[in-house]
């Protein structure tokens, strides 16, 4: 079980360079929607950005629970598929993620179209919460924007699906979300000052290669019970 959490955290951490393109911009929008008084006080600026990120991670957990529970229910009906096949598919998917982050597989972004119908319904709710004036608003803003279509989140959900347990699926997505927290929290607090550096092609390539190296680890966990 701890090995699953480590993989989830590292996947979130390494994929954060890609997340800056979408969630980083949203975090920046949240920051600039705050009153000048809040932005001038570091503790309040950090509190609002933390609330936003906790809302986002809450959505990841809910998605993980729903996907894993649905997968468990479906497997109960049709029978559990071969774990080697599931693990191999997950590994290939993660390699595709790494290639995409490195800039060598741009077509991977097409997978994000799967979540666009739901997103079209949710996006107006998030916009209604701006400008953010209360911490509960920041949490709600993050709760909505956590459903933004993202191939990296979908890759994490794929592994959450193989856990065959709603609880484990939710925990997997919790640790994935915690992995994205350091970079997105920093960008939210420091806005564009660090975003440009973190988006540098060399950094993205290194992150992509690291994810490719990480790809076989979940297969080892699911097939041979490494923990």
């Amino acid at each position: 079980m701890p090995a699953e959490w480590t993989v989830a955290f590292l996947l979130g951490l390494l994929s954060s360079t890609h997340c800056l393109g979408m969630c980083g911009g949203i975090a920046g929008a949240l920051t600039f929607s705050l009153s000048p008084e809040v932005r001038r006080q570091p503790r309040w600026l950090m509190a609002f950005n933390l609330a936003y990120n906790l809302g986002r991670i809450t959505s990841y957990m809910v998605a993980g629970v729903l996907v894993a529970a649905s997968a468990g229910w479906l497997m109960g009906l049709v029978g559990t598929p071969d774990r080697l096949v599931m693990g191999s598919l997950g590994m290939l998917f993660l390699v595709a993620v790494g290639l995409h982050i490195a800039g060598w597989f741009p077509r991977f972004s097409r997978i994000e179209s799967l979540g666009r119908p739901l997103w079209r319904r949710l996006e107006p709710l998030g916009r209604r919460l701006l400008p953010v004036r209360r911490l509960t608003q920041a949490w709600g803003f993050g709760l909505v924007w956590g459903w933004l279509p993202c191939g990296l989140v979908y890759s994490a959900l794929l592994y959450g699906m193989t856990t065959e347990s709603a609880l484990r699926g939710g925990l997997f997505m919790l640790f994935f979300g915690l992995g994205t927290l350091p970079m997105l929290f920093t960008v939210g607090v420091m806005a564009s000052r660090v975003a440009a550096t973190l988006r540098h092609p060399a950094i993205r390539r290194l992150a992509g290669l690291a994810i490719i190296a990480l790809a076989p680890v979940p297969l080892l966990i699911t097939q041979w019970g490494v923990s």
Side-chain angles (χ1 to χ4, degrees):
M1 183 78 72
E4 287 181 355
W5 300 344
T6 302
V7 169
F9 183 85
L10 289 176
L11 177 59
L13 185 65
L14 294 170
S15 65
S16 296
T17 54
H18 170 80
C19 296
L20 289 176
M22 294 184 294
C23 292
I26 296 168
L30 169 70
T31 298
F32 289 114
S33 78
L34 298 173
S35 67
E37 292 77 14
V38 170
R39 294 204 303 269
R40 283 195 293 264
Q41 299 182 61
R43 63 173 183 172
W44 279 110
L45 181 58
M46 289 190 288
F48 274 92
N49 276 279
L50 182 60
Y52 157 70
N53 280 286
L54 290 178
R56 179 177 57 83
I57 294 171
T58 300
S59 288
Y60 292 171
M61 291 176 61
V62 171
V65 168
L66 292 176
V67 167
S70 299
W73 174 78
L74 185 60
M75 289 176 187
L77 292 179
V78 300
T80 303
D82 186 271
R83 300 187 76 184
L84 178 60
V85 173
M86 291 291 292
S88 298
L89 287 174
M91 182 180 70
L92 291 174
F93 198 86
L94 198 54
V95 169
V97 169
L99 292 172
H100 174 61
I101 289 178
W104 299 322
F105 188 22
R107 291 185 178 181
F108 180 79
S109 61
R110 294 180 180 178
I111 195 174
E112 293 170 359
S113 63
L114 295 174
R116 285 175 187 160
L118 175 62
W119 178 241
R120 280 194 291 267
R121 295 178 177 273
L122 293 177
E123 182 183 15
L125 299 177
R127 294 191 182 278
R128 289 175 192 168
L129 293 170
L130 294 174
V132 172
R133 293 290 181 261
R134 299 184 301 276
L135 290 175
T136 51
Q137 270 183 284
W139 182 81
F141 184 78
L143 196 66
V144 172
W145 289 90
W147 296 93
L148 180 73
C150 175
L152 279 306
V153 175
Y154 296 163
S155 69
L157 286 172
L158 178 68
Y159 283 112
M161 185 186 304
T162 64
T163 62
E164 304 172 21
S165 161
L167 176 60
R168 290 174 64 184
L171 287 172
F172 189 91
M173 292 306 296
L174 167 63
F175 280 89
F176 169 80
L178 291 176
T180 66
L181 181 59
M183 194 172 294
L184 291 179
F185 177 77
T186 301
V187 170
V189 173
M190 302 182 69
S192 60
R193 280 177 284 179
V194 296
T197 301
L198 295 172
R199 288 196 193 103
H200 193 282
I203 293 178
R204 288 177 62 97
R205 281 194 289 271
L206 286 173
L209 290 171
I211 289 176
I212 292 171
L214 181 68
V217 176
L219 180 61
L220 293 174
I221 295 171
T222 56
Q223 183 64 22
W224 287 287
V226 178
S227 61

